[in-house]
Amino acid sequence: GTLKSEVFQSGQEKNCPIHELLMGGTDDRSAYHLTRCILEFCKNYPDEFRKMLLIQSPFTHKRTALHWATWGNAKMEVLEPLAFGNPEAIVLEDATGKTPVDILRHYFCSSHSGNYNPNHVANPEK
């Protein structure tokens, strides 16, 4: 298939490659680089990109790519294109009722300042 068909394909649970990458996190240099390459490629296909960013997968979690990026404490270079690619995804709730903004605020913002801290380590048990 073409690169376009590979980037926008979805698996059995509707996961696209970007979902799979973000589920695993982008701390690894290769994962981060591949994520950025996919995001750059998607600029050429804004309609497909917007649709892809609304997919909530897997069915048990109902998380968008932006949800997975926030759970993985991704850098702003990853978060921004996801948010700007489809702003509607910012307010979509996952299966637990959390939006990507809720995840950032709860797990990654300084409790005193409310500012996003990309170096904060999440502890979802709290």
Side-chain angles (χ1 to χ4, degrees):
T2 66
L3 182 57
K4 180 183 175 189
S5 66
E6 294 292 323
V7 167
F8 294 107
Q9 73 175 332
S10 59
Q12 186 176 14
E13 293 200 26
K14 301 257 185 225
N15 298 8
C16 291
I18 195 81
H19 289 91
E20 294 291 335
L21 275 167
L22 294 170
M23 282 182 214
T26 55
D27 289 341
D28 176 77
R29 193 174 82 189
S30 296
Y32 173 77
H33 180 70
L34 183 55
T35 300
R36 296 277 294 142
C37 287
I38 289 173
L39 292 172
E40 187 64 31
F41 177 81
C42 288
K43 288 179 182 179
N44 299 312
Y45 305 97
D47 292 335
E48 291 89 342
F49 186 47
R50 191 170 20 264
K51 289 176 193 168
M52 181 177 70
L53 294 180
L54 285 177
I55 295 172
Q56 292 180 274
S57 70
F59 300 123
T60 54
H61 290 82
K62 291 181 57 184
R63 293 190 179 135
T64 64
L66 187 57
H67 280 94
W68 288 114
T70 56
W71 272 115
N73 199 20
K75 294 179 180 180
M76 277 300 185
E77 293 87 2
V78 171
L79 294 174
E80 284 180 356
L82 295 172
F84 287 119
N86 194 339
E88 184 180 340
I90 295 169
V91 296
L92 287 178
E93 294 182 350
D94 66 9
T96 66
K98 289 183 176 64
T99 68
V101 173
D102 295 333
I103 295 165
L104 283 176
R105 282 187 183 143
H106 187 78
Y107 297 108
F108 301 106
C109 288
S110 164
S111 58
H112 300 293
S113 67
N115 294 326
Y116 174 61
N117 179 357
N119 298 315
H120 182 79
V121 177
N123 184 356
E125 302 304 315
K126 287 190 173 182

